[in-house]
Amino acid sequence: MQKMESRGVELPSLWEKALKLIGPEKGVVHLATAAVLNAVWDLWAKQEGKPVWKLLVDMDPRMLVSCIDFRYITDVLTEEDALEILQKGQIGKKEREKQMLAQGYPAYTTSCAWLGYSDDTLKQLCAQALKDGWTRFKVKVGADLQDDMRRCQIIRDMIGPEKTLSLFLQMMDANQRWDVPEAVEWMSKLAKFKPLWIEEPTSPDDILGHATISKALVPLGIGIATGEQCHNRVIFKQLLQAKALQFLQIDSCRLGSVNENLSVLLMAKKFEIPVCPHAGGVGLCELVQHLIIFDYISVSASLENRVCEYVDHLHEHFKYPVMIQRASYMPPKDPGYSTEMKEESVKKHQYPDGEVWKKLLPAQEN
């Protein structure tokens, strides 16, 4: 790759990492399209004076279906299938909406058990999370097996093996660390800690690899969770067809905005696979809460084995940050898609003249 420079600083590794995250050749266009269309949904909802989740919930099923591109997925989901699912979702919809407004959507925390945290830090963060009402924790794994065994034991001891596992859960995330055989071997040894799932055990593009891992680990009570790096609805379709996952993780910005996410929510419903969204990046919690609340009210009508990721940092940059009560997402009430950033935050982080970059770039030069 040709080296790119900014203010005399070579940035090849930075750009290579960024391009890797973007995905395949069309990834840039796909992500850009998602950004534009998500902005359109934000404007549409503001025009209607509703949050996006409410805009979707109130929309006629035929109108919702008209928002979906069914190309390449009709072998799994047709317009008629989608309409039938959405029409069935009308039954009990008002009651589920009232439930969401009163209780919120269940969440889990990713903020306690990152790789690199000391045992003392892990214990401190986990204890504080338990005090704050959290009962579902995700642990990063995959760097060192013995280290994983120790850290998972700490968390299992803290949340308690005697607890009802449907309430006190531990999930694991390998962030694409392993080859297929390694994933099976590693997780077979971590099965004693009773994780609900292992997330991204191998390359997100390896559909058959996920299917192989799934076949080996499901008998051990471990589900496969993936989807945050899925580039489009076709990948999700194939993962579902191959029985390669037990928990489907949509991302509000990776796919082509609300529109493409609608198709994936409906496919997941047809396969009766719970949707447990990814929300680990800046603004993703603010966005994805709308999709998952809509999913419960109008599509899945179920909270069984369903939970949404939450991280506790960087919400201070948004005008309408997420509201968490009793470890649950409370439905936003402000019109729009909840991602309007504070003007001062935008100015500080604007590249290359923002305050943050003015401090960072000279430091890199030195």
Side-chain angles (χ1 to χ4, degrees):
M1 176 181 290
Q2 183 178 358
K3 291 184 178 180
M4 306 182 72
E5 297 185 1
S6 176
R7 298 195 175 192
V9 181
E10 294 182 351
L11 300 174
S13 60
L14 175 63
W15 283 104
E16 286 168 3
K17 290 177 182 177
L19 290 172
K20 180 180 178 182
L21 289 172
I22 284 173
E25 182 181 354
K26 296 180 181 178
V28 176
V29 175
H30 206 93
L31 290 176
T33 300
V36 172
L37 290 178
N38 278 335
V40 171
W41 280 95
D42 178 60
L43 292 171
W44 185 359
K46 287 177 177 175
Q47 181 67 28
E48 295 292 328
K50 300 176 180 180
V52 163
W53 71 264
K54 180 63 171 169
L55 176 70
L56 292 167
V57 165
D58 290 347
M59 200 176 293
D60 178 79
R62 293 186 181 278
M63 174 67 87
L64 281 167
V65 170
S66 73
C67 296
I68 299 171
D69 184 353
F70 289 90
R71 288 178 302 168
Y72 315 129
I73 62 171
T74 54
D75 51 329
V76 163
L77 184 78
T78 65
E79 291 187 37
E80 292 74 20
D81 294 332
L83 185 59
E84 181 181 358
I85 290 170
L86 290 167
Q87 286 174 336
K88 286 182 178 178
Q90 299 293 301
I91 302 170
K93 186 172 75 170
K94 290 183 179 179
E95 289 74 19
R96 291 192 294 276
E97 182 174 340
K98 289 179 181 178
Q99 179 188 355
M100 283 290 99
L101 289 168
Q103 301 175 12
Y105 198 95
Y108 71 87
T109 177
T110 307
S111 303
C112 297
W114 293 90
L115 289 173
Y117 281 180
S118 68
D119 290 355
D120 287 342
T121 298
L122 189 89
K123 292 175 184 177
Q124 179 183 351
L125 292 174
C126 188
Q128 184 60 53
L130 284 166
K131 184 178 178 181
D132 293 339
W134 292 96
T135 61
R136 310 170 190 92
F137 302 82
K138 188 162 78 178
V139 189
K140 298 289 185 176
V141 298
D144 180 270
L145 180 58
Q146 295 307 312
D147 185 55
D148 287 348
M149 298 280 284
R150 188 186 71 257
R151 293 165 65 252
C152 290
Q153 186 66 61
I154 289 171
I155 289 187
R156 178 49 71 190
D157 287 345
M158 293 190 73
I159 67 178
E162 77 283 358
K163 306 289 187 181
T164 303
L165 290 179
S166 61
L167 295 177
F168 286 76
L169 298 175
Q170 182 177 178
M171 290 81 91
M172 298 179 184
D173 185 357
N175 284 114
Q176 312 164 29
R177 191 99 185 195
W178 302 313
D179 281 353
V180 172
E182 187 180 15
V184 173
E185 180 182 4
W186 203 296
M187 287 309 302
S188 296
K189 294 175 181 176
L190 294 180
K192 60 182 285 188
F193 301 108
K194 302 183 179 181
L196 179 66
W197 73 53
I198 175 62
E199 183 174 329
E200 290 197 311
T202 191
S203 166
D205 302 322
D206 191 355
I207 295 161
L208 296 182
H210 276 87
T212 298
I213 298 168
S214 173
K215 187 176 181 180
L217 295 185
V218 167
L220 300 178
I222 305 172
I224 306 302
T226 193
E228 69 178 81
Q229 298 289 349
C230 284
H231 312 300
N232 54 58
R233 62 194 181 279
V234 179
I235 301 296
F236 276 112
K237 179 192 76 169
Q238 293 178 357
L239 285 165
L240 290 165
Q241 287 174 314
K243 299 180 180 179
L245 48 70
Q246 286 70 49
F247 300 93
L248 187 149
Q249 297 178 306
I250 58 169
D251 183 284
S252 49
C253 294
R254 174 71 58 179
L255 293 179
S257 84
V258 174
N259 303 70
E260 192 167 28
N261 269 299
L262 288 174
S263 69
V264 176
L265 292 176
L266 290 163
M267 285 192 288
K269 172 60 178 175
K270 187 168 180 183
F271 281 83
E272 293 297 340
I273 294 295
V275 176
C276 300
H278 168 248
V282 182
L284 293 184
C285 294
E286 278 73 16
L287 283 161
V288 85
Q289 61 181 332
H290 293 268
L291 299 176
I292 201 60
I293 290 168
F294 160 74
D295 180 59
Y296 172 64
I297 295 173
S298 297
V299 182
S300 73
S302 172
L303 291 178
E304 184 178 359
N305 285 330
R306 287 167 166 83
V307 66
C308 187
E309 184 174 23
Y310 173 74
V311 291
D312 61 5
H313 57 279
L314 301 174
H315 302 293
E316 67 273 12
H317 297 297
F318 294 89
K319 289 186 176 181
Y320 312 107
V322 293
M323 296 178 291
I324 298 290
Q325 295 179 14
R326 302 177 301 277
S328 297
Y329 280 91
M330 301 308 295
K333 296 180 180 179
D334 295 293
Y337 211 174
S338 303
T339 50
E340 187 174 350
M341 297 188 74
K342 295 177 180 177
E343 187 175 348
E344 58 267 29
S345 291
V346 175
K347 286 182 178 179
K348 275 186 177 181
H349 293 84
Q350 189 169 358
Y351 179 83
D353 298 317
E355 178 184 325
V356 171
W357 286 101
K358 283 183 177 179
K359 292 179 180 177
L360 181 63
L361 292 174
Q364 287 181 343
E365 290 174 356
N366 295 329

